[in-house]
Every structure is written in structure tokens, then in C-alpha cells.
Amino acid sequence: MTFDLSPIDRAKFVAARRSCNFVENGMRIGLGSGSTAAWMVRCLGERVRTEGLDIIGVPTSSRTADLARQLGIRVASLDEVKWLDITIDGADEFDENLNLIKGGGGASLQEKIVATASDRMVVIADVAKEVKALGAFPLPLETVPFGWQTTKALVEETLVNMDVLGREATLRMNDDVPFVTDEGNYILDLHLKRIGNPRQLSLVLNQIPGIVENGLFIDICDAVVIGHGDGTVEVRDFNAGTVTEEQIDILESDNIFADGDD
């Protein structure tokens, strides 16, 4: 018997569960942020509880850190572990070259630092996150609060010369105040609609004073695990050039995950 999950949550869950097969005893693991990554953290927590899996998790947000501790996963900072065996994280969009947009949850800066300090990055996503061209999802720019309106104007001016369809930049809000990241910064969301040259755009944006980092992940992701609502997963390993499919069964014993509210 399976427990009741919506098709989208089922897709996220099976992708998260399959990604945990990459994790071995003794690994140092970057723990991503967001709804799909939260399923992965829960799956790892279950392995810690039932198998005695010995791992160290380096969270990419305070929310992920809290969840990992609740589930019995040992947590450390990146400065403590220095380097990671693998990072497993979600994505807001990914294309056929495994370029990503991340940062919908406001943690892309820490996510990028952790991912690039890893031997391997595996992305977990539902099938709806795959796109032909990045840009439908707003591109986050983590921005220092000082002079953010000037930074916004410089960004919009710079976008005139970029291969994008939209140039609107908006300050991300938390109710009636600016959203503040774990690093104390603001986020500008760029509504670009389509990004013709992600690599060029990433390089140019990071040259603008006030921009800390952008949410484009270029040449960072090594594999993607794509979940479907029927419980199947597709694993694309970019480095190995392989694509595999399998069915992930969701059993009544998996009810430990049914209370997730991410």
C-alpha cells in the first residue's frame, strides 16, 4: 500500500530517494535547500536511523540545518570539513547541458559555495523543472543592501546588451519588508523570460558592484535525478554520458515522510 501523495510530491520524493543511493558511509555531504532537497534530507535521516549510516552533512541554509539535526544527521560547517564528497540539491530550472537556475528559496549563494566545494553535484528535480532554455523562472541576484537601488539600475542597464527577452528586476519581499538571506543580503529577481547565453550572462552580472552572486549554476552539476508522478526516475550522468530509468516503490512504511510541509 502506498501513502497519499500528490503527483508533484511523489515525483519529488522518488527523485530524493533515488539520489540517496549516491551516498556511502563516511561521506561528507552538501545538503541542499528547498522542497525537493527537504525530501532528500528526510530520506538520509531514515538511513541514519535504520542503517546506522555515518555521514556528516553541510547544510546550505539554516532551515536545512534545523531539519538535519532533527533527523539525527551530524551537521558541520564547510570551514570545518573543508571539502565534500557530494552535494545533493534541487533546482528551479535545468537545461539539457545541466545548467541550472537556483535560488527560489533564497539560499543560492551558500548553495553555490557548497556545490563548488564538492567532488560531485547531483541535482534532484521533478520533470517540470526541465526547460529548453533557462529564464522562465526569475533569476536571483544576491545583492548587498547598501545602494541596492543603484545596483538594480545598473543591472537593468546591463541587460539591454544581453541575449534575454525581459529586463525587469524586482526586489524580493517578505510581506512588506525586503527578504533577507542567511548572509544578511537582499535578492533582486530578474524576469528574463529566456536566457540565450547563460555563461556570458553569469560572468557579466558578477562584474556589477553590489552583486554578491547570481543564481546561474554553470558547469557545476554532474548528474540529475528526475522524478515523475508515476514513481519512475530518470538518472542522467553528464560525465559518464549515461541515462538510466527505474521504478521507485513508495510503501506504507515510508509514512515517516508524509508530514513534510515544504
Side-chain angles (χ1 to χ4, degrees):
M1 182 185 299
T2 61
F3 63 85
D4 186 27
L5 283 177
S6 68
I8 188 67
D9 280 338
R10 182 181 295 267
K12 292 179 179 182
F13 175 79
V14 295
R17 165 157 281 188
R18 174 59 180 82
S19 73
C20 291
N21 291 355
F22 290 101
V23 177
E24 300 176 3
N25 210 48
M27 277 189 168
R28 297 156 298 177
I29 306 162
L31 304 176
S33 303
S35 59
T36 310
W39 289 106
M40 175 270 299
V41 175
R42 292 188 178 94
C43 289
L44 285 178
E46 178 68 358
R47 286 190 61 189
V48 168
R49 186 180 69 84
T50 62
E51 302 174 20
L53 182 69
D54 183 18
I55 57 175
I56 297 176
V58 175
T60 56
S61 68
S62 56
R63 187 175 186 184
T64 297
D66 290 343
L67 178 61
R69 291 190 184 98
Q70 292 169 15
L71 295 169
I73 299 173
R74 283 195 296 156
V75 170
S77 70
L78 184 58
D79 287 334
E80 290 172 317
V81 302
K82 311 299 184 189
W83 196 260
L84 304 172
D85 298 290
I86 191 172
T87 287
I88 305 176
D89 202 350
D92 298 304
E93 286 184 345
F94 68 92
D95 65 16
E96 63 179 1
N97 296 315
L98 301 193
N99 296 318
L100 320 171
I101 285 182
K102 289 179 53 55
S108 63
L109 175 58
Q110 290 191 22
E111 290 169 344
K112 186 175 282 190
I113 293 171
V114 168
T116 54
S118 305
D119 288 335
R120 195 177 195 197
M121 181 191 189
V122 174
V123 161
I124 48 178
D126 60 87
V127 67
K129 301 297 174 57
E130 183 172 13
V131 296
K132 290 184 178 180
L134 300 176
F137 191 91
L139 174 64
L141 297 182
E142 187 148 343
T143 309
V144 295
F146 175 80
W148 72 266
Q149 294 189 58
T150 299
T151 302
K152 175 178 177 291
L154 288 171
V155 168
E156 291 177 331
E157 181 179 345
T158 299
L159 290 174
V160 172
N161 298 313
M162 295 290 99
D163 185 7
V164 296
L165 291 183
R167 297 194 298 270
E168 181 187 8
T170 58
L171 180 67
R172 188 177 300 187
M173 303 296 290
N174 183 13
D175 295 326
D176 58 349
V177 298
F179 176 89
V180 178
T181 70
D182 282 353
E183 299 301 313
N185 296 315
Y186 291 171
I187 290 180
L188 293 173
D189 286 313
L190 306 189
H191 305 271
L192 307 177
K193 301 180 182 178
R194 183 190 64 81
I195 301 171
N197 191 331
R199 185 184 306 276
Q200 179 192 47
L201 181 63
S202 179
L203 291 172
V204 170
L205 288 174
N206 279 6
Q207 299 304 309
I208 298 174
I211 299 300
V212 180
E213 187 54 83
N214 69 79
L216 285 166
F217 283 51
I218 311 296
D219 298 334
I220 296 175
C221 177
D222 299 289
V224 60
V225 182
I226 306 167
H228 297 259
D230 62 0
T232 62
V233 294
E234 178 183 343
V235 182
R236 299 182 195 169
D237 191 317
F238 194 78
N239 294 333
T242 58
V243 179
T244 60
E245 292 187 4
E246 59 189 86
Q247 182 77 29
I248 304 295
D249 293 326
I250 306 176
L251 305 175
E252 187 173 328
S253 60
D254 292 323
N255 270 324
I256 183 173
F257 310 117
D259 63 352
D261 59 358
D262 295 284

CSV table of all heavy atoms in Angstrom, one decimal, residues 99-139:
chain,number,residue,atom,x,y,z
A,99,ASN,N,22.9,23.0,-17.0
A,99,ASN,CA,23.0,24.4,-16.4
A,99,ASN,C,21.7,24.6,-15.6
A,99,ASN,O,20.6,24.2,-16.0
A,99,ASN,CB,23.1,25.4,-17.5
A,99,ASN,CG,24.4,25.3,-18.3
A,99,ASN,OD1,25.4,25.1,-17.8
A,99,ASN,ND2,24.3,25.4,-19.7
A,100,LEU,N,21.8,25.3,-14.5
A,100,LEU,CA,20.7,25.5,-13.6
A,100,LEU,C,20.4,26.9,-13.3
A,100,LEU,O,21.3,27.8,-13.4
A,100,LEU,CB,21.1,24.8,-12.2
A,100,LEU,CG,21.9,23.5,-12.2
A,100,LEU,CD1,22.3,23.2,-10.8
A,100,LEU,CD2,21.0,22.4,-12.8
A,101,ILE,N,19.2,27.2,-12.9
A,101,ILE,CA,18.8,28.3,-12.1
A,101,ILE,C,18.4,27.8,-10.8
A,101,ILE,O,17.6,26.9,-10.6
A,101,ILE,CB,17.6,29.1,-12.8
A,101,ILE,CG1,18.1,29.9,-14.0
A,101,ILE,CG2,17.0,30.1,-11.7
A,101,ILE,CD1,17.1,30.8,-14.6
A,102,LYS,N,19.0,28.4,-9.7
A,102,LYS,CA,18.7,28.1,-8.3
A,102,LYS,C,18.6,29.4,-7.6
A,102,LYS,O,19.0,30.5,-8.0
A,102,LYS,CB,19.8,27.3,-7.7
A,102,LYS,CG,19.9,25.8,-8.3
A,102,LYS,CD,21.0,25.0,-7.6
A,102,LYS,CE,20.9,25.0,-6.1
A,102,LYS,NZ,19.6,24.6,-5.6
A,103,GLY,N,17.9,29.3,-6.4
A,103,GLY,CA,17.8,30.4,-5.5
A,103,GLY,C,16.3,30.9,-5.3
A,103,GLY,O,16.1,31.9,-4.6
A,104,GLY,N,15.4,30.1,-5.7
A,104,GLY,CA,14.0,30.4,-5.4
A,104,GLY,C,13.7,30.5,-3.9
A,104,GLY,O,12.8,31.2,-3.5
A,105,GLY,N,14.4,29.7,-3.2
A,105,GLY,CA,14.3,29.7,-1.7
A,105,GLY,C,15.2,30.7,-1.0
A,105,GLY,O,15.1,30.8,0.2
A,106,GLY,N,16.0,31.4,-1.8
A,106,GLY,CA,16.8,32.5,-1.2
A,106,GLY,C,18.1,32.0,-0.6
A,106,GLY,O,18.8,32.8,0.1
A,107,ALA,N,18.6,30.8,-1.0
A,107,ALA,CA,19.9,30.3,-0.5
A,107,ALA,C,20.9,30.0,-1.6
A,107,ALA,O,21.8,29.3,-1.3
A,107,ALA,CB,19.6,29.1,0.3
A,108,SER,N,20.8,30.7,-2.7
A,108,SER,CA,21.7,30.3,-3.8
A,108,SER,C,23.2,30.6,-3.6
A,108,SER,O,24.0,29.8,-4.1
A,108,SER,CB,21.3,31.0,-5.1
A,108,SER,OG,21.4,32.4,-5.0
A,109,LEU,N,23.5,31.6,-2.8
A,109,LEU,CA,24.9,31.9,-2.5
A,109,LEU,C,25.6,30.7,-1.7
A,109,LEU,O,26.6,30.2,-2.2
A,109,LEU,CB,25.0,33.2,-1.7
A,109,LEU,CG,26.5,33.5,-1.2
A,109,LEU,CD1,27.4,33.7,-2.4
A,109,LEU,CD2,26.4,34.8,-0.4
A,110,GLN,N,25.0,30.3,-0.6
A,110,GLN,CA,25.5,29.2,0.1
A,110,GLN,C,25.5,27.9,-0.7
A,110,GLN,O,26.4,27.1,-0.6
A,110,GLN,CB,24.8,29.0,1.5
A,110,GLN,CG,25.0,30.2,2.4
A,110,GLN,CD,24.5,29.8,3.8
A,110,GLN,OE1,24.3,28.7,4.2
A,110,GLN,NE2,24.3,30.9,4.6
A,111,GLU,N,24.4,27.7,-1.5
A,111,GLU,CA,24.3,26.5,-2.3
A,111,GLU,C,25.4,26.5,-3.3
A,111,GLU,O,26.0,25.4,-3.6
A,111,GLU,CB,22.9,26.5,-3.0
A,111,GLU,CG,21.7,26.3,-2.1
A,111,GLU,CD,20.4,26.5,-2.7
A,111,GLU,OE1,20.4,27.2,-3.8
A,111,GLU,OE2,19.4,26.1,-2.2
A,112,LYS,N,25.7,27.6,-3.9
A,112,LYS,CA,26.8,27.6,-4.9
A,112,LYS,C,28.2,27.4,-4.3
A,112,LYS,O,29.0,26.6,-4.8
A,112,LYS,CB,26.8,28.9,-5.7
A,112,LYS,CG,27.8,28.9,-6.9
A,112,LYS,CD,27.7,30.1,-7.8
A,112,LYS,CE,26.5,30.1,-8.7
A,112,LYS,NZ,26.6,31.2,-9.7
A,113,ILE,N,28.4,28.0,-3.2
A,113,ILE,CA,29.7,27.8,-2.5
A,113,ILE,C,29.9,26.3,-2.1
A,113,ILE,O,30.9,25.7,-2.3
A,113,ILE,CB,29.8,28.6,-1.2
A,113,ILE,CG1,29.9,30.1,-1.6
A,113,ILE,CG2,31.0,28.3,-0.4
A,113,ILE,CD1,29.7,31.1,-0.4
A,114,VAL,N,28.8,25.7,-1.5
A,114,VAL,CA,28.9,24.3,-1.1
A,114,VAL,C,29.1,23.4,-2.3
A,114,VAL,O,29.9,22.4,-2.3
A,114,VAL,CB,27.7,23.9,-0.3
A,114,VAL,CG1,27.6,22.4,-0.1
A,114,VAL,CG2,27.7,24.6,1.1
A,115,ALA,N,28.3,23.6,-3.4
A,115,ALA,CA,28.3,22.8,-4.6
A,115,ALA,C,29.7,22.8,-5.2
A,115,ALA,O,30.2,21.7,-5.7
A,115,ALA,CB,27.3,23.2,-5.6
A,116,THR,N,30.3,23.9,-5.3
A,116,THR,CA,31.6,24.0,-5.9
A,116,THR,C,32.8,23.5,-5.1
A,116,THR,O,33.9,23.3,-5.5
A,116,THR,CB,32.0,25.5,-6.4
A,116,THR,OG1,31.8,26.4,-5.2
A,116,THR,CG2,31.0,25.9,-7.5
A,117,ALA,N,32.5,23.3,-3.8
A,117,ALA,CA,33.5,22.7,-2.9
A,117,ALA,C,33.2,21.2,-2.8
A,117,ALA,O,33.6,20.6,-1.7
A,117,ALA,CB,33.4,23.3,-1.5
A,118,SER,N,32.7,20.6,-3.8
A,118,SER,CA,32.3,19.1,-3.8
A,118,SER,C,32.9,18.4,-5.0
A,118,SER,O,33.1,19.0,-6.0
A,118,SER,CB,30.8,18.9,-3.8
A,118,SER,OG,30.1,19.7,-2.8
A,119,ASP,N,33.3,17.1,-4.7
A,119,ASP,CA,33.7,16.3,-5.9
A,119,ASP,C,32.6,16.1,-6.9
A,119,ASP,O,32.9,16.0,-8.1
A,119,ASP,CB,34.2,15.0,-5.4
A,119,ASP,CG,35.5,15.0,-4.6
A,119,ASP,OD1,36.3,16.0,-4.8
A,119,ASP,OD2,35.7,14.1,-3.8
A,120,ARG,N,31.4,16.1,-6.5
A,120,ARG,CA,30.3,15.9,-7.4
A,120,ARG,C,29.0,16.6,-6.9
A,120,ARG,O,28.8,16.7,-5.7
A,120,ARG,CB,30.0,14.4,-7.5
A,120,ARG,CG,29.1,14.0,-8.6
A,120,ARG,CD,29.0,12.5,-8.6
A,120,ARG,NE,28.5,12.0,-9.9
A,120,ARG,CZ,27.9,10.8,-10.2
A,120,ARG,NH1,27.8,10.0,-9.2
A,120,ARG,NH2,27.5,10.5,-11.4
A,121,MET,N,28.2,17.1,-7.8
A,121,MET,CA,26.9,17.7,-7.5
A,121,MET,C,25.9,16.9,-8.3
A,121,MET,O,25.9,16.8,-9.5
A,121,MET,CB,26.8,19.2,-7.9
A,121,MET,CG,25.5,19.8,-7.5
A,121,MET,SD,25.2,21.4,-8.2
A,121,MET,CE,23.6,21.9,-7.3
A,122,VAL,N,24.9,16.5,-7.5
A,122,VAL,CA,23.7,15.8,-8.1
A,122,VAL,C,22.5,16.6,-7.8
A,122,VAL,O,22.2,17.0,-6.7
A,122,VAL,CB,23.6,14.4,-7.4
A,122,VAL,CG1,22.3,13.7,-7.9
A,122,VAL,CG2,24.8,13.5,-7.7
A,123,VAL,N,21.8,16.9,-8.9
A,123,VAL,CA,20.5,17.7,-8.8
A,123,VAL,C,19.3,16.7,-8.8
A,123,VAL,O,19.3,15.8,-9.5
A,123,VAL,CB,20.4,18.7,-9.9
A,123,VAL,CG1,19.0,19.2,-10.1
A,123,VAL,CG2,21.3,19.9,-9.6
A,124,ILE,N,18.4,17.0,-7.9
A,124,ILE,CA,17.1,16.3,-7.8
A,124,ILE,C,16.0,17.2,-8.2
A,124,ILE,O,15.9,18.3,-7.7
A,124,ILE,CB,16.9,15.6,-6.4
A,124,ILE,CG1,17.2,16.6,-5.3
A,124,ILE,CG2,17.8,14.4,-6.3
A,124,ILE,CD1,16.9,16.1,-3.9
A,125,ALA,N,15.1,16.7,-9.1
A,125,ALA,CA,14.1,17.6,-9.5
A,125,ALA,C,12.9,16.8,-10.1
A,125,ALA,O,13.1,15.7,-10.5
A,125,ALA,CB,14.6,18.5,-10.6
A,126,ASP,N,11.7,17.4,-10.1
A,126,ASP,CA,10.6,16.8,-10.8
A,126,ASP,C,10.7,17.2,-12.3
A,126,ASP,O,11.4,18.1,-12.6
A,126,ASP,CB,9.3,17.3,-10.2
A,126,ASP,CG,9.1,18.7,-10.3
A,126,ASP,OD1,8.6,19.2,-11.3
A,126,ASP,OD2,9.4,19.5,-9.3
A,127,VAL,N,10.0,16.4,-13.1
A,127,VAL,CA,10.2,16.6,-14.6
A,127,VAL,C,9.8,18.0,-15.1
A,127,VAL,O,10.4,18.4,-16.1
A,127,VAL,CB,9.4,15.5,-15.3
A,127,VAL,CG1,7.9,15.7,-15.1
A,127,VAL,CG2,9.8,15.4,-16.8
A,128,ALA,N,9.0,18.7,-14.4
A,128,ALA,CA,8.6,20.0,-14.8
A,128,ALA,C,9.7,21.0,-14.7
A,128,ALA,O,9.6,22.1,-15.3
A,128,ALA,CB,7.4,20.5,-13.9
A,129,LYS,N,10.8,20.7,-14.1
A,129,LYS,CA,11.9,21.7,-13.9
A,129,LYS,C,12.8,21.7,-15.2
A,129,LYS,O,13.7,22.6,-15.3
A,129,LYS,CB,12.7,21.4,-12.7
A,129,LYS,CG,11.9,21.4,-11.4
A,129,LYS,CD,11.4,22.8,-11.1
A,129,LYS,CE,10.5,22.8,-9.9
A,129,LYS,NZ,11.1,22.4,-8.7
A,130,GLU,N,12.6,20.7,-16.1
A,130,GLU,CA,13.5,20.7,-17.3
A,130,GLU,C,12.9,21.7,-18.3
A,130,GLU,O,11.7,21.7,-18.6
A,130,GLU,CB,13.5,19.3,-17.9
A,130,GLU,CG,14.5,19.2,-19.1
A,130,GLU,CD,14.7,17.8,-19.6
A,130,GLU,OE1,14.0,16.9,-19.1
A,130,GLU,OE2,15.6,17.6,-20.4
A,131,VAL,N,13.8,22.5,-18.9
A,131,VAL,CA,13.4,23.5,-19.9
A,131,VAL,C,14.4,23.5,-21.1
A,131,VAL,O,15.5,23.0,-20.9
A,131,VAL,CB,13.4,24.9,-19.3
A,131,VAL,CG1,12.4,25.0,-18.2
A,131,VAL,CG2,14.8,25.3,-18.7
A,132,LYS,N,13.9,23.9,-22.2
A,132,LYS,CA,14.8,24.0,-23.4
A,132,LYS,C,15.8,25.2,-23.2
A,132,LYS,O,16.9,25.1,-23.6
A,132,LYS,CB,13.9,24.2,-24.6
A,132,LYS,CG,13.2,23.0,-25.0
A,132,LYS,CD,12.4,23.2,-26.3
A,132,LYS,CE,11.7,21.9,-26.7
A,132,LYS,NZ,11.0,22.1,-28.0
A,133,ALA,N,15.3,26.3,-22.6
A,133,ALA,CA,16.2,27.5,-22.4
A,133,ALA,C,15.8,28.0,-21.0
A,133,ALA,O,14.7,28.2,-20.6
A,133,ALA,CB,15.9,28.5,-23.4
A,134,LEU,N,16.9,28.3,-20.2
A,134,LEU,CA,16.7,28.9,-18.9
A,134,LEU,C,16.1,30.3,-19.0
A,134,LEU,O,16.2,31.0,-20.0
A,134,LEU,CB,18.0,29.0,-18.2
A,134,LEU,CG,18.8,27.7,-17.9
A,134,LEU,CD1,20.1,28.0,-17.3
A,134,LEU,CD2,18.0,26.7,-17.1
A,135,GLY,N,15.3,30.7,-17.9
A,135,GLY,CA,14.9,32.1,-17.9
A,135,GLY,C,13.4,32.3,-17.5
A,135,GLY,O,13.1,33.4,-17.2
A,136,ALA,N,12.6,31.3,-17.7
A,136,ALA,CA,11.2,31.4,-17.4
A,136,ALA,C,11.1,31.7,-15.9
A,136,ALA,O,10.3,32.5,-15.4
A,136,ALA,CB,10.4,30.2,-17.8
A,137,PHE,N,11.9,31.0,-15.1
A,137,PHE,CA,11.9,31.2,-13.6
A,137,PHE,C,12.8,32.4,-13.4
A,137,PHE,O,13.9,32.5,-14.0
A,137,PHE,CB,12.5,30.0,-12.9
A,137,PHE,CG,12.4,30.0,-11.4
A,137,PHE,CD1,11.2,29.4,-10.8
A,137,PHE,CD2,13.3,30.6,-10.6
A,137,PHE,CE1,11.1,29.5,-9.4
A,137,PHE,CE2,13.1,30.7,-9.2
A,137,PHE,CZ,12.0,30.1,-8.7
A,138,PRO,N,12.4,33.3,-12.5
A,138,PRO,CA,13.2,34.5,-12.2
A,138,PRO,C,14.6,34.2,-11.7
A,138,PRO,O,14.8,33.3,-10.9
A,138,PRO,CB,12.4,35.2,-11.1
A,138,PRO,CG,11.0,34.8,-11.3
A,138,PRO,CD,11.1,33.3,-11.8
A,139,LEU,N,15.6,34.9,-12.2
A,139,LEU,CA,17.0,34.6,-11.9
A,139,LEU,C,17.3,35.5,-10.6
A,139,LEU,O,17.3,36.7,-10.7
A,139,LEU,CB,17.9,35.0,-13.0
A,139,LEU,CG,19.4,34.9,-12.7
A,139,LEU,CD1,19.8,33.5,-12.4
A,139,LEU,CD2,20.2,35.5,-13.9
